[in-house]
Amino acid sequence: MANSNVRRPYKGVFPVVPTVFDGDGRLDLEGQKRAVDFMIDAGSHGLCILANFSEQFVLTDAERDMVLDTVLNHVAGRVPVIVTTTHFASHICAERSQRAQQAGAAMVMVMPPYHGATIRVGEAAIHQFYRTVSEAISIPIMIQDAPVAGTSLSAGFLARMARELENVCYFKIEVPQAAAKLRELIALGGGAIEGPWDGEEAITLMADLDAGAMGAMTGGGYPDGIRQIVDPYFAGRRDEAAAAYQRWLPLINYENRQCGLAACKALMMEGGVIKHETVRLPLQPLRPAVRTGLIEIASHLGPLVLRWGK
């Protein structure tokens, strides 16, 4: 499996790839490959697979492996691929991470261990969890700091893990007041913080860029639109980036607040990238009026997704 020739530190737009299903909710691997091709053509600097926005929580272990192998073989080193390997059990997360590295992953993304609404562990156990994963691999680990885990990870604790655990060096911050946390993390961690990143569909992207974010992990429907924000920002043209952010914010907001993970699939189906926008039950498809609103907002902006497959 070829690895990407993009060198670290990784930066830019690394959107989440949806897991593509057919009309019956089974894996559509040909559609999966088309989704990947579109996302690369749309300017993604890299990709992330098997994340929450990929519906990783509805996949069997065998299906995870099929998606992993299909995507990494098809990407064939064109861009770096981050693989989400989250699991509550330390050794299973470590084994998943080893499997991802062997398949050609550039990085793994891992949430702190959690289960349901109440099963959590303390800082010492979290530290040991990430140590176990770090010692099993030689590629970077991105800690996903998101509300879904229900786990408080202070900036000081994250910085300490970056200093003490060899491969813990990327951080996707998508909690309330993300920009303030990014600033504190960078100040406390210094050079150990290789990749402070933005998440949550870029809803706080400008504030996070101003705070020092170097990467954006967004939804997969319009990487070309997100590039219009981050490219001028990193080139020192903040006013241009802010203007682009204002243009794209209605779509970013609509995805984040009205549609969630179904937005990407609806946009891809509308543009002929994939044949079905199926989400796996018990997840529900977008209501027709919500879907119409999404397509109307996107149409005014003209992202590549609406014409790529036509």
Side-chain angles (χ1 to χ4, degrees):
M1 174 64 236
N3 288 304
S4 167
N5 60 10
V6 176
R7 300 274 72 85
R8 293 168 56 181
Y10 301 119
K11 64 182 291 187
V13 181
F14 279 63
V16 173
V17 181
T19 301
V20 182
F21 303 114
D22 65 18
D24 295 322
R26 305 297 180 185
L27 290 181
D28 176 2
L29 297 179
E30 289 306 310
Q32 190 71 63
K33 290 185 280 190
R34 282 178 60 82
V36 165
D37 286 339
F38 153 71
M39 292 172 69
I40 294 174
D41 286 351
S44 301
H45 294 105
L47 304 172
C48 177
I49 63 172
L50 298 173
N52 291 328
F53 252 45
S54 312
E55 299 173 73
Q56 60 85 15
F57 44 82
V58 304
L59 301 177
T60 67
D61 287 347
E63 288 174 328
R64 283 182 54 88
D65 286 344
M66 290 177 67
V67 172
L68 173 70
D69 290 335
T70 296
V71 171
L72 285 168
N73 285 329
H74 188 66
V75 170
R78 285 178 284 170
V79 296
V81 178
I82 301 171
V83 178
T84 306
T85 58
T86 298
H87 196 282
F88 187 88
S90 302
H91 80 280
I92 296 177
C93 186
E95 289 169 359
R96 282 184 173 184
S97 300
Q98 286 177 326
R99 170 85 167 78
Q101 178 175 333
Q102 290 164 0
M107 188 190 311
V108 295
M109 183 167 72
V110 181
M111 300 191 77
Y114 74 99
H115 178 70
T118 60
I119 299 178
R120 302 291 184 275
V121 298
E123 281 193 359
I126 293 171
H127 189 284
Q128 183 57 51
F129 170 85
Y130 281 109
R131 179 182 295 279
T132 299
V133 178
S134 180
E135 290 177 350
I137 59 176
S138 58
I139 56 176
I141 297 168
M142 174 179 284
I143 294 182
Q144 183 179 4
D145 182 18
V148 68
T151 302
S152 178
L153 300 169
S154 71
F157 179 48
L158 292 174
R160 179 163 71 87
M161 286 197 287
R163 291 192 302 268
E164 296 176 356
L165 304 178
E166 181 178 2
N167 294 310
V168 173
C169 49
Y170 284 77
F171 300 86
K172 181 186 176 186
I173 307 298
E174 43 191 351
V175 296
Q177 291 81 55
K181 190 165 188 177
L182 280 164
R183 283 191 174 90
E184 185 178 6
L185 175 64
I186 293 166
L188 293 172
I193 310 300
E194 181 175 319
W197 280 29
D198 164 88
E200 204 183 1
E201 299 80 73
I203 193 71
T204 59
L205 179 57
M206 277 303 297
D208 294 344
L209 289 171
D210 285 341
M214 298 301 293
M217 189 177 290
T218 64
Y222 43 98
D224 49 327
I226 305 300
R227 283 285 302 266
Q228 292 178 28
I229 303 166
V230 301
D231 286 1
Y233 191 94
F234 290 141
R237 303 191 304 275
R238 188 189 182 282
D239 288 349
E240 182 182 335
Y245 182 65
Q246 290 299 318
R247 286 197 306 274
W248 287 90
L249 188 56
L251 183 57
I252 292 169
N253 180 72
Y254 202 88
E255 177 183 26
N256 179 265
R257 304 302 295 172
Q258 306 299 327
C259 302
L261 60 84
C264 177
K265 292 184 177 185
L267 290 168
M268 285 188 175
M269 182 176 171
E270 188 71 19
V273 178
I274 58 178
K275 294 180 179 179
H276 301 277
E277 58 190 274
T278 310
V279 292
R280 261 195 180 163
L281 296 172
L283 293 175
Q284 298 295 305
L286 293 177
R287 292 179 179 272
V290 174
R291 189 185 190 281
T292 297
L294 173 71
I295 302 306
E296 285 180 351
I297 293 171
S299 295
H300 289 303
L301 292 162
L304 178 63
V305 69
L306 294 183
R307 59 185 187 277
W308 187 84
K310 293 181 176 179

